[in-house]
Amino acid sequence: MRKERLIVPVVVGVAVIWAVAQFVAGVLFERELARALDDLEARGELVVERTDVEQGWLTSSGTIQLAPLLGDAWQLELGYQARHGLLSTRVEGKAVPYLGPYRERLFGDALPSTPPRWHASYHTLGGTMDGSIQLAPFLARQGERELDFAGGRIAFDGQYGDWRLQARLEGLELGDGHATLEAGPVMLESRYAYTAGAHHFTQHDLLRIERLDWRQPSLELEAHGLVYQSLMQLDDRELRIDGELTVTEVLTADQRLLTGQVKMELSRINADALRDVLAELRAEAARGDAAREGRELLARLEPRLIAMLQDSPRLDVTTVDLDSPMLRLAARGDGALFFDARRLDELSLLALEDEEQRGRWLARLDGDFTWYEVPTVVALWLGLPLDTRNLEIDVVRGEVRVNGRPMPPLWR
């Protein structure tokens, strides 16, 4: 009898714990989803909305709508249904992209393929999420044009403040009459770490194209191992972007046309002014005034955009190391370009059509570049002595001089 008396409280206790755990899992999932979407919008590139939200004890559902901050070139709807468990929440749904202002469905209208499905798992205790989207192969034809896509997969994981993405596209072939472009496999790895409201963030991207072929009757190019890496950082003072492009080889007529590497860094973009621009863009998008997407919007943003230059941005070309065995040419050099931020009130973006205003912008550029061991044919082309070893390229108030001489016309 005593055991029977104990069973009832135990069963009731377990049921209460289970019910509370289910409720907590749902609440935590909704909180983390809302925080992630808010910070995604705070980045300043997208408009993010959540509609048709239904929050239940065991399940919840809704639709996440993503669109560019300006324009209506595309929209993306991510429908989801979440099933809350004791330790994790299972999420799945469809990804439906639309094109243009008339919301033409990419999959189903423009392309003969069904919308991809996505799924994810949210782990309640650790606050982490991981998931993936599978892209099905398809073949689309329009007249002489043909697009053959071999499929792919996009995977993501992370937690609030730190997200990672990995994408792999198996291959893509675009044909248009006698011209053909083939690419793939294509891999993208990205990591985005940020503070609340995206006030500070760091984003690292690695894009690798294993093969890129262009074929037409008069030209064939075959590129292998194209790799682009970038590191974008926004802190209290500045936005800084480091970029590196590596070309393993580009072939034509079975000869190596190009190989090498280029590294650059853009820095001193004023951080507070950039955040002001993004805040104003979000306010404009919230107003939904499409008429302000042209000169009127530029007029509102112009003071903030020009203020981004107040710290004298600079472009550092830290490495240029390119070879063309086929042409017997090589380019190795470095340099920097600076922007003069004095008297910014003299500059206008709206008046760039005016030749005098364009001259004012060009006159703000100063810098110097060095091309080491310049090929003789380049010295000959520039009208320099044939024994010239290095090219010293100076930019003074927008005017370019090469080894102390005015830059000759590039095309004659």
Side-chain angles (χ1 to χ4, degrees), residues 7-220:
I7 290 175
V8 174
V10 169
V11 171
V12 172
V14 170
V16 170
I17 294 173
W18 177 82
V20 171
Q22 290 284 110
F23 175 75
V24 170
V27 169
L28 291 177
F29 169 76
E30 288 294 328
R31 186 194 69 176
E32 293 303 313
L33 180 60
R35 291 173 67 189
L37 294 178
D38 287 344
D39 285 325
L40 179 62
E41 188 170 36
R43 173 68 183 263
E45 300 166 353
L46 299 172
V47 176
V48 182
E49 295 183 28
R50 195 154 58 120
T51 59
D52 304 323
V53 178
E54 294 185 4
Q55 300 181 20
W57 194 282
L58 300 177
T59 64
S60 59
S61 61
T63 301
I64 301 169
Q65 297 178 330
L66 307 176
L69 191 61
L70 296 176
D72 49 16
W74 61 270
Q75 303 89 41
L76 176 62
E77 286 188 0
L78 296 173
Y80 70 90
Q81 183 165 4
R83 295 179 176 84
H84 308 301
L86 295 180
L87 300 177
S88 65
T89 294
R90 175 73 177 179
V91 190
E92 60 182 13
K94 285 185 179 181
V96 185
Y98 294 91
L99 301 177
Y102 301 106
R103 290 172 58 82
E104 180 186 25
R105 292 181 304 168
L106 176 61
F107 298 101
D109 293 336
L111 298 174
S113 181
T114 58
R117 296 196 63 85
W118 69 284
H119 68 272
S121 295
Y122 172 72
H123 306 283
T124 306
L125 297 180
T128 61
M129 179 179 283
D130 56 78
S132 65
I133 302 175
Q134 195 72 34
L135 304 176
F138 62 81
L139 177 64
R141 292 188 177 93
Q142 185 181 48
E144 293 188 350
R145 297 178 180 176
E146 181 178 282
L147 176 62
D148 187 357
F149 177 60
R153 184 175 183 269
I154 302 172
F156 57 89
D157 67 273
Q159 58 187 340
Y160 178 78
D162 189 0
W163 291 96
R164 292 173 295 274
L165 179 143
Q166 291 184 321
R168 179 184 174 91
L169 306 181
E170 295 301 334
L172 180 147
E173 181 177 346
L174 177 62
D176 187 0
H178 298 292
T180 303
L181 175 66
E182 295 183 35
V186 178
M187 284 81 74
L188 172 65
E189 297 181 13
S190 182
R191 182 169 185 176
Y192 176 52
Y194 57 93
T195 60
H199 189 79
H200 298 159
F201 67 78
T202 298
Q203 179 169 333
H204 183 266
D205 297 304
L206 172 62
L207 174 66
R208 182 179 183 87
I209 304 175
E210 292 290 350
R211 181 170 179 151
L212 184 67
D213 294 348
W214 172 261
R215 294 188 180 90
Q216 63 183 59
S218 58
L219 177 66
E220 289 191 8

Side-chain angles (χ1 to χ4, degrees), residues 191-401:
R191 182 169 185 176
Y192 176 52
Y194 57 93
T195 60
H199 189 79
H200 298 159
F201 67 78
T202 298
Q203 179 169 333
H204 183 266
D205 297 304
L206 172 62
L207 174 66
R208 182 179 183 87
I209 304 175
E210 292 290 350
R211 181 170 179 151
L212 184 67
D213 294 348
W214 172 261
R215 294 188 180 90
Q216 63 183 59
S218 58
L219 177 66
E220 289 191 8
L221 294 175
E222 182 179 315
H224 298 272
L226 302 179
V227 181
Y228 176 72
Q229 299 184 68
S230 70
L231 177 62
M232 182 185 304
Q233 296 176 295
L234 177 67
D235 57 25
D236 282 333
R237 298 183 306 166
E238 65 176 338
L239 173 71
R240 185 170 61 255
I241 304 172
D242 292 281
E244 177 183 328
L245 175 64
T246 301
V247 180
T248 301
E249 64 177 3
V250 177
L251 305 175
T252 185
D254 294 326
Q255 297 187 62
R256 298 180 75 188
L257 176 63
L258 183 66
T259 182
Q261 186 181 67
V262 177
K263 296 180 182 180
M264 295 185 182
E265 179 187 76
L266 177 64
S267 60
R268 298 183 184 175
I269 304 296
N270 186 268
D272 289 334
L274 173 61
R275 283 187 274 264
D276 287 344
V277 169
L278 297 179
E280 181 61 27
L281 284 173
R282 288 194 294 271
E284 289 291 331
R287 295 186 191 104
D289 190 353
R292 284 186 175 170
E293 290 185 8
R295 293 183 64 84
E296 187 177 352
L297 177 59
L298 181 58
R300 288 180 62 89
L301 293 176
E302 185 179 60
R304 297 175 175 85
L305 290 171
I306 292 180
M308 291 168 55
L309 307 175
Q310 62 187 276
D311 295 331
S312 296
R314 62 179 290 167
L315 175 67
D316 287 281
V317 182
T318 55
T319 301
V320 175
D321 188 359
L322 300 173
D323 281 291
S324 177
M326 178 180 174
L327 301 178
R328 297 183 181 179
L329 293 176
R332 292 177 178 82
D334 52 46
L337 190 65
F338 305 86
F339 183 84
D340 185 352
R342 293 174 294 181
R343 301 183 303 278
L344 288 177
D345 58 306
E346 297 178 356
L347 301 178
S348 171
L349 293 170
L350 288 168
L352 276 175
E353 297 176 356
D354 180 66
E355 184 176 351
E356 181 180 352
Q357 183 63 217
R358 290 198 300 270
R360 291 180 183 176
W361 283 88
L362 286 175
R364 299 302 184 99
L365 298 179
D366 294 281
D368 56 85
F369 299 87
T370 302
W371 184 346
Y372 302 101
E373 298 182 4
V374 60
T376 303
V377 66
V378 175
L380 178 64
W381 180 46
L382 294 173
L384 296 172
L386 297 183
D387 60 352
T388 300
R389 301 298 298 168
N390 298 330
L391 283 188
E392 300 293 341
I393 304 170
D394 297 309
V395 182
V396 181
R397 295 183 58 82
E399 299 291 334
V400 181
R401 301 181 68 85

